[in-house]
Amino acid sequence: EAGVTQFPSHSVIEKGQTVTLRCDPISGHDNLYWYRRVMGKEIKFLLHFVKESKQDESGMPNNRFLAERTGGTYSTLKVQPAELEDSGVYFCASSQTGELFFGEGSRLTVL
Amino acid sequence: AQRVTQPEKLLSVFKGAPVELKCNYSYSGSPELFWYVQYSRQRLQLLLRHISRESIKGFTADLNKGETSFHLKKPFAQEEDSAMYYCALRGTGRRALTFGSGTRLQVQP
């Protein structure tokens, strides 16, 4: 069975541009999470979906970040407009009960 | 608020030496604690959780509520243990995990 997949694996954009990251969770997993790791710092929670609903979005840094999960399947995380401090690795994870299963991450570089 | 602290960014040991990766947490309730590991060119994966009380790949971790710690230990390190290790906490009534900043373990031959 395929694990959590993320696309793109690496994106390089200029400040002010828009980027959309996509996450496909493991089939049947209701819970989907977005995390971000900025260089040298901890993996920080961004938000949590249960099916298509936002259960907890307390970690979203500001309104330049928009996450959606239409239909309760895949999710997108859009950054618009991107700033330099948005650079980092964005991880997606999914779970059904306890254990979180992670994707390989999408590395975002904002120049 | 909940917080996980991993004081060491890098821990370097020789093969066969004991390993202890430190993790301290701050949480007012009864947390669940986890260790996740990321090997080179692999995705982040669960290593062990405190409620299982199991040993995985020779690693163990005991939750010490008095010291609010969940240190990861292995008596004899192997080269294949070299990886990035993250301690994580899940609070009551919340499914999302709070991670520490990670410790890179380097096991030298």
Side-chain angles (χ1 to χ4, degrees), chain A residues 50-65:
Chain A
V50 177
K51 297 186 180 178
E52 67 273 12
S53 300
K54 291 176 186 174
Q55 178 78 10
D56 180 353
E57 53 184 326
S58 61
M60 293 289 264
N62 51 60
N63 59 10
R64 295 186 294 102
F65 288 74

Side-chain angles (χ1 to χ4, degrees), chain B residues 45-59:
Chain B
Q45 58 188 282
L46 177 66
L47 179 62
L48 54 79
R49 64 183 82 184
H50 91 269
I51 58 173
S52 300
R53 295 186 157 273
E54 57 195 346
S55 173
I56 302 291
K57 299 185 179 182
F59 284 97

Side-chain angles (χ1 to χ4, degrees), chain A residues 17-90:
Chain A
Q17 290 187 317
T18 298
V19 64
T20 300
L21 310 177
R22 173 173 168 143
C23 169
D24 286 76
I26 292 173
S27 177
H29 281 192
D30 290 339
N31 296 284
L32 187 150
Y33 309 82
W34 282 99
Y35 286 85
R36 175 173 72 172
R37 183 176 65 206
V38 173
M39 177 110 70
K41 299 197 174 178
E42 73 268 26
I43 299 172
K44 285 199 78 171
F45 168 76
L46 297 178
L47 89 160
H48 168 208
F49 284 100
V50 177
K51 297 186 180 178
E52 67 273 12
S53 300
K54 291 176 186 174
Q55 178 78 10
D56 180 353
E57 53 184 326
S58 61
M60 293 289 264
N62 51 60
N63 59 10
R64 295 186 294 102
F65 288 74
L66 175 65
E68 294 180 321
R69 193 183 181 195
T70 309
T73 54
Y74 72 91
S75 174
T76 58
L77 179 64
K78 181 192 285 189
V79 185
Q80 179 184 30
E83 298 289 344
L84 299 178
E85 65 264 24
D86 300 333
S87 294
V89 181
Y90 290 77

Side-chain angles (χ1 to χ4, degrees), chain A residues 4 31 33 35 37 40 42-43 45 48 56 97-100 102 104, chain B residues 9 36 38 43-44 46 49 86 90 94-101:
Chain A
V4 177
N31 296 284
Y33 309 82
Y35 286 85
R37 183 176 65 206
E42 73 268 26
I43 299 172
F45 168 76
H48 168 208
D56 180 353
T97 53
E99 180 179 351
L100 266 63
F102 281 81
E104 293 182 323
Chain B
K9 282 197 181 305
Y36 276 78
Q38 187 170 25
R43 59 189 69 197
L44 198 60
L46 177 66
R49 64 183 82 184
Y86 293 92
R90 175 184 285 147
R94 190 165 183 256
R95 298 200 69 85
L97 298 177
T98 298
F99 284 89
S101 54

